[in-house]
Amino acid sequence: MRIQRNPAVLSGLSLLLTISVAAAPLRPTHAPHAMVASVHELASRAGIEMLQAGGNAVDAAVATGFALAVVHPQAGNLGGGGFMLYRNAAGKARFIDFREKAPAAATENMYLDAQGNVIPESSKDSSVVGYRAIGVPGSVAGLVYAEKQYGKLSLEKVIAPAIKLARDGFPLAYEDAQDLKDDEYLASFPESKRIFLRDGNYYQPGDLFKQPELARTLERIAKNPDDFYHGAMARELAAVIHKGGGLVTAADLAAYEVKEREPVRGTYRGYDIISAPPPSSGGVALIEILNILEGFDLAKLGNRSAASIHLESEAFRRAFYDRADFMGDPDFAKVPVAQLIDKKYAEAWRDTIDTNHASPSKDLQRPSFDELERVAESHASIREPENTTHYSVVDVEGNAVSVTTTLNDSFGSRVTADGLGFLLNDEMDDFTSKVGVPNTYGLIQGPANSIGPGKRPLSAMTPTIVLKDGKLLLVIGSPGGPTIITTVANVLMGVVDFSLDIQEAVNAPRFHHQWLPDEILVEDRLSPDTMNVLRSKGHKLLVKHFWGDAECIMIDPKTGERLGASDGRNNGKAVGY
Ligand code: DON
C-alpha cells in the first residue's frame, strides 16, 4: 500500500525533477494488439518487449515479474510469492500458486512470548520484521514454472530485461527514493542498508540505482533455475537465513513446490468471474460479495451514493466474517468453498441486510453455517505503508495473465540475502499468530489459518479475469492487504454496475469494510455529504487519503482494442502497441 504523500510537497518537487511523477490518467491507454499494465513503466516495457519478440502473454508476464524484482523492490520480488491466473485465448484457465510456505520448523505458537502475547514487530523474533518472519519463497519457482509450461520464449530471453536493469541501473522515481528513505526498518539490516540506502546516504530521485549482486543472481537463475531451490544458491540462501536466526533451511527450499489449482468461478449479472482459490481468500470473498449484491439494483441507487456504498459495505462485512472463520490453506484445512460461493447462501446473507442501518459486526448471525466458534472481538486500525504489486497482460491472440505478487510488507522482512542482492518476505505474518488478535492489516484470523510446517498462509491477493458472453472483458487486481478484495470488487462493479470505463473504475474513490474493525475505510475524495449519510445509517468511518494500485486491462467489446488502466495512486504505466 502506498504511503500517503503530501500533494503540495510532491507538486513543488516535481517541478524541479526531470524524473516526472506520473499524473493520474483520466482515460485508458488504447492499443490495437496487446497491453501490459504494471506499477513501473520499465517493467511494463519489459513485457511488451517479449510480445514484440514473438512471445505470448505468459512470456510477457514472466519478464514483467522479474523486472519488477529489480525496479520495484518494495514488492516486486525473488524472495516472496504470489499467484498467477492465466486464461488462454481458447478459454482454458489455470491458477499457478507460488505462495510462500512455512518452514518445517514452524510451530503454531512461534510468534507468542512466554505470557502468550504476540511478539511485537520491534522484536527480532516477530512475524513482521527480521529473519524469523521469512517463509519459503515461491516466486522464482512460480515464474520459472509458468515460463516452462505456458511461455514460448526461453527463460534466458525473459529474464534478460531484468538483468540489464539490475546491472546498468535505472533512475529512481520520486516515490521510490521516498519509500527507501521512509522505511523504518531497512537500515536495521546491514546488507539492506548497504544496498538500498547506499550505506545511509539516501538515494535521491533521478539517481541511477544499480544492483550488481541482483544482476548476478538473475544470471544464475537464467542459466540454471534449479540452483535456487536445489543447488549452491539454495545453500547460500539457507546459510544467510540460518545465520540471522531464521528457520528456512536448504531442505525447505528443496521441498518447495508450485501448485496448479482450479481457479474459483462465479457469475455476476451475466458476467463470468474467474479468480483466486484458496490459499487466497480473494476469489471466494469476491464471489460471495458479488452474489450478495446481485439481489440489489446498485445501478439505480447510483455510483458512490450512500445507499449503494452502504449495501456494498454490508456485503464486504459478511464476506470478511466468513473469511476469518473458514479460510486457510486447502492442502491442510477443508475450506467450504462451494457453500461460501453458493447463490442461495448469499441470498440468506442478503436477507440479513437492513437497507437503512448498519449491522454491527458483533451481532452478525451467519445463516445456517455455524461450524466454527466466533473468534474475536479485539481489533486495530489498518497500518500503513504496506506493499504488494499487481500486473495484467493481454497479448495479440487474447491470452490473458493476471498476477499479484508480494513480499507482504513493503520491502518484506527488510532482510536482504547477503551476496544475492534480493529482499526476503515476511509472509509468516499472514498466518494466525494468535486467534482473535489482528495481524498487521488489522485482520482477525481463525484456526483454519494457524501456523504449521509446510502450510501456505491465507492471502487476500485477488488476481481476477472477467468474461462477457464467454469473451475476455477484464483483467484486474491490486495490492492492499485485505483492501485488495474490495478494490477488485470496486473496479469490477464500476464497469458492470455503473458503466464506468476501466480507467474511471480504477480512479473512483474506494471504500472498504473487513468485518473487524467495524468501520468503513473511505478515501477522502468521497463527498463529505455521502460520508454523513453513511454515518447517519450507523456506520463508523475511517477516512484515508488513498490505498491500492489497480493495474488493469479491459477489452473493448466492440473493437477488441486493449484498454489499459494504470492507477494514479502509484507510479505505474500501462504500455501497449
Ligand atoms: O497475501 C496477502 O494477502 C498479503 N500478504 C498482501 C499484502 C499487501 O497487499 C500489502 N499491500 N499493500
Side-chain angles (χ1 to χ4, degrees):
M1 202 182 292
R2 176 145 294 276
I3 304 166
Q4 295 179 19
R5 300 174 198 287
N6 180 335
V9 173
L10 202 60
S11 61
L13 265 173
S14 64
L15 290 176
L16 304 171
L17 298 174
T18 47
I19 303 301
S20 65
V21 172
L26 291 177
R27 288 180 300 156
T29 303
H30 290 245
H33 305 298
M35 182 72 63
V36 181
S38 85
V39 69
H40 203 294
E41 179 170 356
L42 293 171
S44 299
R45 290 203 179 280
I48 290 291
E49 196 184 316
M50 296 306 116
L51 295 173
Q52 290 183 325
N56 64 17
V58 174
D59 294 301
V62 175
T64 297
F66 278 114
L68 284 168
V70 179
V71 298
H72 191 61
Q74 296 95 319
N77 66 81
L78 301 184
F83 302 127
M84 176 183 286
L85 177 61
Y86 168 50
R87 180 181 182 271
N88 70 16
K92 191 165 164 40
R94 299 305 306 164
F95 182 79
I96 302 172
D97 170 354
F98 52 98
R99 181 76 165 160
E100 297 90 332
K101 289 174 75 167
T107 54
E108 194 168 333
N109 295 328
M110 64 184 279
Y111 299 114
L112 302 184
D113 64 15
Q115 285 70 47
N117 297 318
V118 176
I119 296 169
E121 70 178 35
S122 53
S123 157
K124 68 171 185 32
D125 292 331
S126 91
S127 61
V128 181
V129 179
Y131 292 83
R132 278 174 65 85
I134 302 168
V136 185
S139 288
V140 172
L143 292 177
V144 169
Y145 176 90
E147 182 56 38
K148 284 204 173 132
Q149 277 317 104
Y150 301 111
K152 280 165 69 180
L153 305 175
S154 68
L155 189 61
E156 266 136 324
K157 175 85 183 164
V158 295
I159 298 188
I163 296 174
K164 191 167 165 15
L165 287 165
R167 193 183 49 222
D168 301 348
F170 63 96
L172 282 171
Y174 170 84
E175 285 84 350
D176 299 323
Q178 202 65 23
D179 282 356
L180 288 168
K181 207 178 289 178
D182 284 348
D183 192 85
E184 210 181 327
Y185 296 111
L186 261 184
S188 331
F189 299 94
E191 186 71 345
S192 301
K193 183 174 175 188
R194 182 178 73 75
I195 295 178
F196 294 103
L197 304 182
R198 252 192 323 202
D199 258 337
N201 299 309
Y202 295 121
Y203 279 98
Q204 301 302 318
D207 281 353
L208 204 60
F209 182 43
K210 295 186 183 182
Q211 300 169 83
E213 290 93 347
L214 182 56
R216 270 197 299 281
T217 296
L218 287 163
E219 277 165 357
R220 288 170 72 182
I221 294 170
K223 274 204 194 79
N224 177 16
D226 216 34
D227 201 39
F228 192 97
Y229 290 94
H230 297 102
M233 207 187 294
R235 290 191 292 276
E236 288 162 41
L237 180 54
V240 166
I241 296 175
H242 179 71
K243 195 168 152 221
L247 301 184
V248 175
T249 63
D252 288 321
L253 288 162
Y256 186 82
E257 50 177 5
V258 172
K259 291 246 166 158
E260 268 213 29
R261 301 184 191 274
E262 272 305 311
V264 64
R265 290 166 189 271
T267 59
Y268 182 58
R269 303 192 200 280
Y271 293 75
D272 291 301
I273 317 294
I274 309 172
S275 193
S280 180
S281 58
V284 173
L286 175 69
I287 291 167
E288 186 177 346
I289 287 164
L290 296 174
N291 283 343
I292 294 172
L293 290 171
E294 209 169 29
F296 297 113
D297 190 347
L298 296 180
K300 193 165 159 208
L301 296 174
N303 180 21
R304 269 64 186 175
S305 66
S308 65
I309 293 175
H310 166 68
L311 296 176
E312 289 155 350
S313 300
E314 290 302 328
F316 296 168
R317 179 202 307 275
R318 284 156 176 79
F320 272 90
Y321 174 49
D322 281 345
R323 176 197 195 274
D325 275 356
F326 294 115
M327 295 199 217
D329 183 342
D331 297 339
F332 289 77
K334 179 155 172 28
V335 184
V337 173
Q339 291 94 319
L340 291 170
I341 63 171
D342 183 81
K343 298 258 186 208
K344 284 226 158 57
Y345 178 60
E347 203 180 303
W349 257 142
R350 192 185 311 130
D351 287 346
T352 69
I353 295 177
D354 179 329
T355 50
N356 286 314
H357 296 102
S359 321
S361 288
K362 65 178 174 41
D363 298 338
L364 277 190
Q365 297 284 335
R366 177 175 291 116
S368 66
F369 206 141
D370 265 333
E371 292 170 16
L372 293 180
E373 270 178 33
R374 286 283 309 281
V375 287
E377 296 305 336
S378 63
H379 60 270
S381 283
I382 294 170
R383 187 181 66 83
E384 322 158 55
E386 297 89 10
N387 224 309
T388 290
T389 195
H390 179 84
Y391 53 102
S392 299
V393 182
V394 177
D395 68 17
V396 64
E397 285 167 6
N399 301 302
V401 182
S402 188
V403 182
T404 314
T405 180
T406 190
L407 291 164
N408 193 25
D409 274 275
S410 212
F411 307 106
S413 61
R414 278 61 159 207
V415 171
T416 302
D418 295 56
L420 297 172
F422 63 87
L423 285 153
L424 289 152
N425 67 83
D426 64 323
E427 220 67 60
M428 292 298 284
D429 190 62
D430 275 350
F431 280 116
T432 309
S433 286
K434 183 174 179 177
V435 171
V437 175
N439 75 352
T440 208
Y441 303 106
L443 276 174
I444 301 294
Q445 318 239 41
N449 185 30
S450 63
I451 305 174
K455 276 180 89 172
R456 286 160 149 91
L458 185 62
S459 173
M461 293 189 286
T462 315
T464 297
I465 289 175
V466 180
L467 315 176
K468 177 72 175 139
D469 302 326
K471 286 205 197 127
L472 181 66
L473 180 74
L474 299 174
V475 185
I476 56 180
S478 175
T483 67
I484 291 173
I485 298 169
T486 52
T487 294
V488 171
N490 268 316
V491 171
L492 195 156
M493 290 188 290
V495 173
V496 170
D497 289 288
F498 303 119
S499 307
L500 304 181
D501 73 34
I502 185 67
Q503 189 67 61
E504 291 167 331
V506 164
N507 292 355
R510 292 182 182 145
F511 50 92
H512 168 79
H513 199 299
Q514 61 182 47
W515 170 53
L516 294 174
D518 191 349
E519 62 197 9
I520 308 179
L521 185 63
V522 292
E523 286 190 336
D524 59 7
R525 284 176 301 124
L526 193 72
S527 120
D529 295 345
T530 308
M531 291 191 209
N532 282 336
V533 178
L534 285 166
R535 288 187 185 102
S536 75
K537 288 177 183 291
H539 292 287
K540 185 172 164 226
L541 265 52
L542 178 66
V543 183
K544 294 237 168 155
H545 193 31
F546 58 75
W547 64 86
D549 176 26
E551 298 291 328
C552 305
I553 301 173
M554 177 165 169
I555 309 297
D556 184 319
K558 290 204 191 87
T559 64
E561 255 188 316
R562 280 65 172 130
L563 310 175
S566 189
D567 197 329
R569 295 168 182 81
N570 210 327
N571 204 24
K573 182 123 178 123
V575 181
Y577 74 94

